[in-house]
Amino acid sequence: MLRTALRTVLAHKARLLMTVLAVMLGVAFVSGTLVFTDTLGRAFQNQTSKSYKDVSVAVSSNDDAGIDTRTVEKIEAAGGVTTVTGRVDGFAGVADKDGKLIGNGWSNTGANFAPDKNGKDPSYDFTDGGGPAKGGQIALDKATADKGEYQVGDRVRVATNGPVKEYALSGIFDTEDGAVSAGGSLVLFDTDTAQRLYLTPGHFTDLTVVAAPGASDTRILSEVKAVLRDGADAQTGTQLADDQAADIKSGLSGLNTMLLAFAGIALFVGIFLISNTFTMLVAQRTKELALLRAVGASRKQVKRSVLAEAGVVGVVASVIGFGLGVAMAVGLRGAMGATGAKVPAGPLVVSPYSVLAAFGVGVLITLLAAWLPARRAAKIPPVAAMSSVHGVATTKSLVVRNSFGAVLTLLGGAAVMAGAAAGSDGRALIGLGAFLTLIGIIVLIPLLSRPFIALVRPFLRRVSGVSGKLASQNAVRNPRRTGATASALAIGLTLVTGLTVLGVTLGQAVDKMTTDNISADYMVTMASGDALDSSAVTALRKAPGIEAVSPQQAADVSVKGKDHSVSGVTPGDITKVFNLTSVNGSLDTLGDGQIAVATKTAKSNGWKVGDIVPVRYDDGASARLKVGATFKNNEFLSPLLMSGELLAPHEKTPDIREVWIKSEGGASAAHEQALVDALGDNPAISVMDRQDIRNSFGGLINTALNIMYGLLAMALLIAVLGVINTLAMSVFERQQEIGMLRAIGLDRRRTKRMIRLEAVVISVFGAVVGVALGTFLAWAIGQTIKSSVPGYALVLPWDRIGIFLVLAALVGVLAAMWPARSAARLNILTAIKAE
């Protein structure tokens, strides 16, 4: 029987090709993900180990006080210590020759150059020039210098959290610093300048302690801890490297899980293709299998024979897929480098777990999908060898199947509805309901295909005549086959439609929230996401053509032991940059030292206009403030508003994340340039107009959608392979019928059209099911998040849904090209004689 199975595989190479491709793609996704994340993890771990190879003890400060020079001297005096290097860092943005920021903002870093006795800093390998020796000099990492086209001796504009300053470039260096690897930049200042910029003169944020050969790291650690003040921690370099390695592993596990989830979706779709292929092969070989039964093969042997075929297909596909996955991992690593992310050098890691997972998934999925067809094959009676009629499903089996599908669909639908009604607590229930509904719909798809095809049949006949009529009849001839083929597309489009509906709905809600709450023409922020210096607010107020400027200074106050977030704003100007609706009282009272409270907060605390509220600031000072107004909640402001001047005495450093600006006559290029000029053409400060503001809040949603579309493309590709496979095998199965049609006058053109229309009907049917189910699930999930998204209202993107349906029809046309060509090229006499 094993020899028979191998001969069968070799005899049906072309018909099994699509199955091999489907399994291969799924295995490639799984193995590629595992190899890529293992390789990335090992590279970063090696980099971390290298960074701390010579570090005996690492000391870090957990507050703004830092570690003073006296503490450094005490650590240097400890037994076994050879050197202590102090580090201090913060944000530093480098401008290119056009004044634009180099890097992504959040990982643009500045640090101090800390030379040893030989004048070199072991952390940096200079390729040109040297480190900054005095104030007014800097050194740049090579990637940043190349992007800015800077050479040693050039003048470079650098922005920190204060005004932009120009420095002389003293040197260019190579580094494996994480900020540069993440696509940012690294600027080295002399130590005095870095301390003045980021901390306090004479203080450091971190220390690295190098021990003499043979000295005990543990003993040095205990001595270091003895001289540290509260707010500073120390650990050995080995411990620090291990902790960072664990953090890297944890960070990559999320990426690993997400990619494997999409690989699982692709493999789930592939199950339908595999099962459909083996079902059709079994149906085509009914007489052959029955003959085996007649000459003595048992049911178990026939079943094992089919499963052995599946096993061979799974192994072959897994071998090819694993090789493709390794190549994909190499390509992903290269792609990261091409996008600007610097990946540390390291070997390609192919772990035994990756190999076992890839082959286990490939072979097991194939065997699982082939189990039902193998079971049906084992039930073929020997008497079927004497009949040319293939076994058909009995009425009882169809009734059982449809009843089971209906029950699953009803239970799943009820669970989804219950989860939607439960709000944010119902997401798990919706997940369970979605799974049950999807399985139920898949079981019912053969039944659902009949009314759909009956609905489109008149249209097909009117448009394509005989070809359309024959295509519709072929599609319903074997509903199970049609259903299995359509199921793969339905699953993919369920996910795509659900994501699209949710994404568009959230995008419009965010867009509406922006336009409804903001009347400012511009928003000014730091590119790094850090707080703006108060000098920026002063400079903006002096810009020509500006009508109103209001910073949003974030702070917290305590009222009777309960914390409340506060926005420090400019009285008068705040109502010009935000659409604030006063419910009671007047917002003008902010200028009189009173506070304004959002209606929800006022209601929950029982406050009303005229009440005196006892407030305790972060610095410990207390005050009794009068409620001067209540206003409708604004998503961009805290529920408590007070004048920035009232808040200023209690905040050592104002936490100003945004400055909102209204210009005279509205936004214009001249006004924007005036703001840029007022800020000293600072590359680290972003000036965004209203469209930029909308994009900044809604852009992440579109980016996430595009990533999801890319990952789901694998599942949709496998679904397309399923359509091709079904049609190709259907053409082979119907050779005699097609030959008869050709003999009685159906020419090649109409034969091709018949196959194409059948493919289009099946594809569009799967798309319609997927769109309907995806929309339903998106609605349910939306019910669980609408309370946290102001202005949430379900939006059906009819344009995108229309595109999905058109693409599904196009998929049908493309998938039918090879099968249609094969059908049209059949030799009439040979086809008529075929069994």
Side-chain angles (χ1 to χ4, degrees), residues 38 322 349-359:
D38 286 347
F322 184 76
V349 179
V350 182
S351 67
Y353 170 74
S354 300
V355 178
L356 288 174
F359 279 83

PDB file of all heavy atoms in Angstrom, residues 38 322 349-359:
ATOM      1  N   ASP A  38      14.598  34.560  16.139  1.00  0.00           N
ATOM      2  CA  ASP A  38      15.761  33.964  16.823  1.00  0.00           C
ATOM      3  C   ASP A  38      17.051  34.669  16.418  1.00  0.00           C
ATOM      4  O   ASP A  38      17.904  34.954  17.255  1.00  0.00           O
ATOM      5  CB  ASP A  38      15.873  32.474  16.481  1.00  0.00           C
ATOM      6  CG  ASP A  38      14.826  31.628  17.197  1.00  0.00           C
ATOM      7  OD1 ASP A  38      14.189  32.154  18.120  1.00  0.00           O
ATOM      8  OD2 ASP A  38      14.640  30.454  16.820  1.00  0.00           O
ATOM      9  N   PHE A 322      10.544  25.226   4.363  1.00  0.00           N
ATOM     10  CA  PHE A 322      11.544  25.598   5.362  1.00  0.00           C
ATOM     11  C   PHE A 322      12.689  26.373   4.711  1.00  0.00           C
ATOM     12  O   PHE A 322      13.149  27.390   5.234  1.00  0.00           O
ATOM     13  CB  PHE A 322      12.082  24.362   6.075  1.00  0.00           C
ATOM     14  CG  PHE A 322      13.040  24.675   7.177  1.00  0.00           C
ATOM     15  CD1 PHE A 322      12.579  25.147   8.397  1.00  0.00           C
ATOM     16  CD2 PHE A 322      14.403  24.529   6.994  1.00  0.00           C
ATOM     17  CE1 PHE A 322      13.454  25.459   9.421  1.00  0.00           C
ATOM     18  CE2 PHE A 322      15.290  24.847   8.007  1.00  0.00           C
ATOM     19  CZ  PHE A 322      14.815  25.306   9.229  1.00  0.00           C
ATOM     20  N   VAL A 349      20.468  32.234  12.809  1.00  0.00           N
ATOM     21  CA  VAL A 349      20.182  31.235  13.851  1.00  0.00           C
ATOM     22  C   VAL A 349      19.037  30.336  13.392  1.00  0.00           C
ATOM     23  O   VAL A 349      17.905  30.786  13.229  1.00  0.00           O
ATOM     24  CB  VAL A 349      19.820  31.910  15.190  1.00  0.00           C
ATOM     25  CG1 VAL A 349      19.506  30.858  16.247  1.00  0.00           C
ATOM     26  CG2 VAL A 349      20.954  32.815  15.650  1.00  0.00           C
ATOM     27  N   VAL A 350      19.346  29.062  13.168  1.00  0.00           N
ATOM     28  CA  VAL A 350      18.333  28.069  12.811  1.00  0.00           C
ATOM     29  C   VAL A 350      18.325  27.039  13.934  1.00  0.00           C
ATOM     30  O   VAL A 350      19.151  26.119  13.961  1.00  0.00           O
ATOM     31  CB  VAL A 350      18.639  27.401  11.454  1.00  0.00           C
ATOM     32  CG1 VAL A 350      17.539  26.409  11.099  1.00  0.00           C
ATOM     33  CG2 VAL A 350      18.779  28.450  10.359  1.00  0.00           C
ATOM     34  N   SER A 351      17.404  27.203  14.868  1.00  0.00           N
ATOM     35  CA  SER A 351      17.368  26.327  16.034  1.00  0.00           C
ATOM     36  C   SER A 351      16.629  25.032  15.724  1.00  0.00           C
ATOM     37  O   SER A 351      15.789  24.986  14.810  1.00  0.00           O
ATOM     38  CB  SER A 351      16.674  27.046  17.201  1.00  0.00           C
ATOM     39  OG  SER A 351      15.304  27.247  16.899  1.00  0.00           O
ATOM     40  N   PRO A 352      16.918  23.962  16.471  1.00  0.00           N
ATOM     41  CA  PRO A 352      16.166  22.704  16.291  1.00  0.00           C
ATOM     42  C   PRO A 352      14.663  22.908  16.469  1.00  0.00           C
ATOM     43  O   PRO A 352      13.861  22.262  15.792  1.00  0.00           O
ATOM     44  CB  PRO A 352      16.749  21.797  17.385  1.00  0.00           C
ATOM     45  CG  PRO A 352      18.109  22.351  17.659  1.00  0.00           C
ATOM     46  CD  PRO A 352      17.989  23.826  17.464  1.00  0.00           C
ATOM     47  N   TYR A 353      14.287  23.822  17.375  1.00  0.00           N
ATOM     48  CA  TYR A 353      12.866  24.097  17.591  1.00  0.00           C
ATOM     49  C   TYR A 353      12.211  24.626  16.322  1.00  0.00           C
ATOM     50  O   TYR A 353      11.086  24.241  15.981  1.00  0.00           O
ATOM     51  CB  TYR A 353      12.715  25.115  18.727  1.00  0.00           C
ATOM     52  CG  TYR A 353      11.312  25.648  18.887  1.00  0.00           C
ATOM     53  CD1 TYR A 353      10.305  24.862  19.442  1.00  0.00           C
ATOM     54  CD2 TYR A 353      10.994  26.939  18.468  1.00  0.00           C
ATOM     55  CE1 TYR A 353       9.016  25.346  19.582  1.00  0.00           C
ATOM     56  CE2 TYR A 353       9.711  27.429  18.602  1.00  0.00           C
ATOM     57  CZ  TYR A 353       8.726  26.634  19.161  1.00  0.00           C
ATOM     58  OH  TYR A 353       7.440  27.108  19.283  1.00  0.00           O
ATOM     59  N   SER A 354      12.920  25.516  15.598  1.00  0.00           N
ATOM     60  CA  SER A 354      12.374  26.064  14.350  1.00  0.00           C
ATOM     61  C   SER A 354      12.159  24.964  13.320  1.00  0.00           C
ATOM     62  O   SER A 354      11.138  24.929  12.625  1.00  0.00           O
ATOM     63  CB  SER A 354      13.317  27.131  13.775  1.00  0.00           C
ATOM     64  OG  SER A 354      13.500  28.189  14.685  1.00  0.00           O
ATOM     65  N   VAL A 355      13.142  24.045  13.224  1.00  0.00           N
ATOM     66  CA  VAL A 355      13.029  22.948  12.256  1.00  0.00           C
ATOM     67  C   VAL A 355      11.859  22.038  12.625  1.00  0.00           C
ATOM     68  O   VAL A 355      11.021  21.701  11.774  1.00  0.00           O
ATOM     69  CB  VAL A 355      14.343  22.135  12.210  1.00  0.00           C
ATOM     70  CG1 VAL A 355      14.208  20.965  11.242  1.00  0.00           C
ATOM     71  CG2 VAL A 355      15.503  23.026  11.798  1.00  0.00           C
ATOM     72  N   LEU A 356      11.786  21.649  13.899  1.00  0.00           N
ATOM     73  CA  LEU A 356      10.713  20.746  14.335  1.00  0.00           C
ATOM     74  C   LEU A 356       9.350  21.401  14.178  1.00  0.00           C
ATOM     75  O   LEU A 356       8.380  20.757  13.741  1.00  0.00           O
ATOM     76  CB  LEU A 356      10.940  20.343  15.795  1.00  0.00           C
ATOM     77  CG  LEU A 356      12.106  19.381  16.061  1.00  0.00           C
ATOM     78  CD1 LEU A 356      12.317  19.184  17.558  1.00  0.00           C
ATOM     79  CD2 LEU A 356      11.854  18.043  15.378  1.00  0.00           C
ATOM     80  N   ALA A 357       9.258  22.700  14.529  1.00  0.00           N
ATOM     81  CA  ALA A 357       7.974  23.399  14.419  1.00  0.00           C
ATOM     82  C   ALA A 357       7.524  23.479  12.966  1.00  0.00           C
ATOM     83  O   ALA A 357       6.356  23.225  12.643  1.00  0.00           O
ATOM     84  CB  ALA A 357       8.095  24.810  15.009  1.00  0.00           C
ATOM     85  N   ALA A 358       8.454  23.800  12.066  1.00  0.00           N
ATOM     86  CA  ALA A 358       8.102  23.931  10.652  1.00  0.00           C
ATOM     87  C   ALA A 358       7.639  22.606  10.068  1.00  0.00           C
ATOM     88  O   ALA A 358       6.582  22.524   9.427  1.00  0.00           O
ATOM     89  CB  ALA A 358       9.300  24.466   9.872  1.00  0.00           C
ATOM     90  N   PHE A 359       8.415  21.534  10.312  1.00  0.00           N
ATOM     91  CA  PHE A 359       8.051  20.233   9.745  1.00  0.00           C
ATOM     92  C   PHE A 359       6.821  19.660  10.444  1.00  0.00           C
ATOM     93  O   PHE A 359       5.968  19.042   9.793  1.00  0.00           O
ATOM     94  CB  PHE A 359       9.229  19.267   9.846  1.00  0.00           C
ATOM     95  CG  PHE A 359      10.235  19.462   8.752  1.00  0.00           C
ATOM     96  CD1 PHE A 359      11.208  20.441   8.846  1.00  0.00           C
ATOM     97  CD2 PHE A 359      10.202  18.687   7.611  1.00  0.00           C
ATOM     98  CE1 PHE A 359      12.129  20.638   7.836  1.00  0.00           C
ATOM     99  CE2 PHE A 359      11.120  18.868   6.595  1.00  0.00           C
ATOM    100  CZ  PHE A 359      12.088  19.857   6.699  1.00  0.00           C
TER     101      PHE A 359
END
